Amino acid sequence: MKTPTIINCLSLLTLFLTASASATYYFDADDIQQRIITEATHQNIAPSLALAIAKVESNFNPNALSHAGAKGVMQIMPRTAEQGFGVPRGRLFDPDVNIELGVKFIKSLIEQYDDRLDIALSHYNGGSGVKNRHGELNVMPATRDYVDKVLAT
């Protein structure tokens, strides 16, 4: 092979490997919504709740990335995925994985907080700081607008 041919082949190979290593998922909002409904039903969570979370979090965008690093449709933090569910951060842009994790996460929070949806949503959006120093549960002020928006949606 001539040198330019080898370089061209290597360039194409590099381009291909780079593109496949950082997969981008293209789904329309209707498809994403149907996947959310299916997963929520499967996990016995109200589809309307899962849809409201996805709408507020990402507007059903499987490629969404927040300034804090949350990824995908349900805006899952990589640390939550890895430590809480054993899912590598690289899989969070896969809509099926992301939706499954998001629904599992909100379900576990609802159970953890004895069906206090406001507290579960506050934790989902802002972390575990929902318990004050006296052990009382409160919606974190930084998440109040989020909680209200999800509940209204």
Side-chain angles (χ1 to χ4, degrees):
M1 274 188 170
K2 296 180 181 176
T3 303
T5 305
I6 292 171
I7 291 171
N8 288 343
C9 287
L10 289 175
S11 296
L12 285 174
L13 184 59
T14 302
L15 181 64
F16 172 75
L17 290 175
T18 303
S20 65
S22 59
T24 301
Y25 297 89
Y26 298 100
F27 296 94
D28 66 19
D30 290 339
D31 183 43
I32 293 296
Q33 289 173 29
Q34 189 55 56
R35 290 166 187 258
I36 293 167
I37 292 166
T38 300
E39 187 60 39
T41 302
H42 175 75
Q43 291 193 44
N44 201 28
I45 287 290
S48 58
L49 173 61
L51 287 165
I53 292 170
K55 172 70 176 165
V56 172
E57 288 284 359
S58 72
N59 198 30
F60 307 111
N61 179 358
N63 299 307
L65 178 63
S66 79
H67 68 279
K71 297 179 177 184
V73 175
M74 303 296 283
Q75 288 292 275
I76 304 297
M77 292 297 287
R79 184 174 180 185
T80 299
E82 290 175 339
Q83 293 181 358
F85 299 97
V87 174
R89 64 184 58 225
R91 299 203 54 216
L92 289 178
F93 285 120
D94 178 332
D96 292 323
V97 170
N98 191 283
I99 292 165
E100 179 183 352
L101 285 182
V103 174
K104 271 186 189 172
F105 188 38
I106 193 60
K107 181 178 182 175
S108 72
L109 293 173
I110 292 168
E111 290 169 359
Q112 178 180 339
Y113 296 119
D114 298 321
D115 295 327
R116 287 277 314 268
L117 187 54
D118 59 338
I119 302 299
L121 287 168
S122 184
H123 183 147
Y124 186 97
N125 183 251
S128 60
V130 294
K131 194 177 275 191
N132 69 20
R133 65 178 184 224
H134 305 294
E136 300 165 331
L137 295 173
N138 295 297
V139 171
M140 292 178 281
T143 67
R144 172 49 65 194
D145 288 344
Y146 169 82
V147 171
D148 291 344
K149 193 182 260 187
V150 171
L151 293 175
T153 302

